[in-house]
């Protein structure tokens, strides 16, 4: 039986392709961790991201290794292999079901994503069930506006209970731009952690 007044564990979930993981991912995760008082943030590289079907994605073990290198200096950040070990598309709902089983009913999950992704939640696999499984934190740029009334029209009252927004430092960094820079022979220093840059060079990725 759940003890009265017991504080629920708050755990962040940072899912993504991480092709490659970069500095903005880390800044956003730390900002959300602090703002929502998260016990830890799980970085979960997607083995087979459903929204990237038809696009060439770097081998999963490379993306997993880069993510591990990126987060190892932060004691609140951990990397999960669970989507790497599951066959089929890496649906977030399946991941949340497994996390609830792993961490128990006293855990509350906060799925960290960009505000642009919040606008596309209606396209996600079984989104209503997913909203009941976790909170969403949409990270926004300074001055950005998100229409909560519109989200409530889409998803009902659960939108106000489960969808939150947080303004984070604005960093114009993307994995796409990093891959293009590498192909063009340009520097990616400070766009990714040094250990990730060294791994990319060592493995000859994105060339």
């Amino acid at each position: 039986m759940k003890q009265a007044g017991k504080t629920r564990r708050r755990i962040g979930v940072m899912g993504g392709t991480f092709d490659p993981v970069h500095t903005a991912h880390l800044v956003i995760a730390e900002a959300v961790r602090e703002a929502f008082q998260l016990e830890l943030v799980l970085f979960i590289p997607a083995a087979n991201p459903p929204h990237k079907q038809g696009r060439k994605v770097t081998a999963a073990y490379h993306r997993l290794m880069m993510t591990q290198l990126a987060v190892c200096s932060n004691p609140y950040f951990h990397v999960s292999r669970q989507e790497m070990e599951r066959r089929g598309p890496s649906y977030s709902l399946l991941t949340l079901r497994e996390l609830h089983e792993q961490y128990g009913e006293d855990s509350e999950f906060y799925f960290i994503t960009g505000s642009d992704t919040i606008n596309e939640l209606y396209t996600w696999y079984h989104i209503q069930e997913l909203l009941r499984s976790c909170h969403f934190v949409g990270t926004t740029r300074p001055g950005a506006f998100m229409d909560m009334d519109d989200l409530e029209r889409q998803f009902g009252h659960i939108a106000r209970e489960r969808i939150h927004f947080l303004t984070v430092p604005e960093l114009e960094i993307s994995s796409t731009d990093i891959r293009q820079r590498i192909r063009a022979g340009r520097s990616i220093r400070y766009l990714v952690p040094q250990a990730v840059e060294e791994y990319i060079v060592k493995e000859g990725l994105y060339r």
Side-chain angles (χ1 to χ4, degrees):
M1 180 180 294
K2 185 178 177 180
Q3 298 178 11
K6 184 176 180 180
T7 303
R8 303 188 74 187
R9 301 179 69 188
R10 292 184 166 197
I11 300 173
V13 177
M14 189 85 170
T17 311
F18 300 130
D19 195 14
V21 62
H22 53 67
T23 305
H25 290 134
L26 306 179
V27 170
I28 288 169
E30 180 66 9
V32 175
R33 184 197 68 79
E34 182 179 48
F36 289 85
Q37 299 180 327
L38 305 180
E39 181 178 317
L40 61 95
V41 177
L42 296 172
F43 284 70
I44 307 180
N48 187 14
H51 61 292
K52 298 289 178 70
Q53 299 298 313
R55 200 207 87 184
K56 183 179 179 182
V57 177
T58 303
Y61 69 89
H62 282 313
R63 294 184 287 108
L64 177 67
M65 181 60 71
M66 287 188 287
T67 307
Q68 290 174 332
L69 290 170
V71 309
C72 64
S73 63
N74 189 323
Y76 298 103
F77 290 175
H78 300 266
V79 178
S80 169
R81 302 171 57 97
Q82 68 185 94
E83 291 193 1
M84 297 288 177
E85 297 170 351
R86 184 198 309 138
R87 293 185 178 182
S90 302
Y91 289 120
S92 298
L93 177 60
L94 304 181
T95 298
L96 263 298
R97 287 175 179 170
E98 293 172 359
L99 289 176
H100 278 287
E101 291 179 2
Q102 180 179 352
Y103 288 92
E105 63 176 18
D106 288 325
S107 297
E108 202 164 28
F109 295 95
Y110 289 74
F111 197 100
I112 304 167
T113 188
S115 57
D116 53 339
T117 301
I118 297 293
N119 291 328
E120 299 174 353
L121 283 181
Y122 67 93
T123 68
W124 284 38
Y125 179 75
H126 289 198
I127 182 57
Q128 290 287 357
E129 183 178 348
L130 184 56
L131 282 170
R132 292 191 294 271
S133 298
C134 69
H135 295 263
F136 275 84
V137 180
T139 57
T140 68
R141 298 175 178 180
F145 172 75
M146 295 302 300
D147 191 344
M148 182 56 76
D149 290 333
D150 183 58
L151 290 169
E152 190 168 13
R153 282 191 292 271
Q154 292 183 50
F155 305 118
H157 67 87
I158 197 172
R160 292 192 181 275
E161 299 171 3
R162 292 290 186 164
I163 300 177
H164 318 277
F165 293 99
L166 179 69
T167 301
V168 297
E170 184 173 1
L171 293 175
E172 290 290 346
I173 304 175
S174 75
S175 297
T176 299
D177 179 60
I178 290 169
R179 294 194 300 270
Q180 292 173 345
R181 282 174 170 269
I182 293 171
R183 283 194 289 269
R186 300 174 63 193
S187 172
I188 59 168
R189 182 169 294 178
Y190 309 124
L191 299 179
V192 299
Q194 182 177 344
V196 173
E197 181 181 10
E198 291 172 353
Y199 183 88
I200 289 171
V201 171
K202 176 177 175 290
E203 299 294 331
L205 301 180
Y206 308 120
R207 298 189 183 282

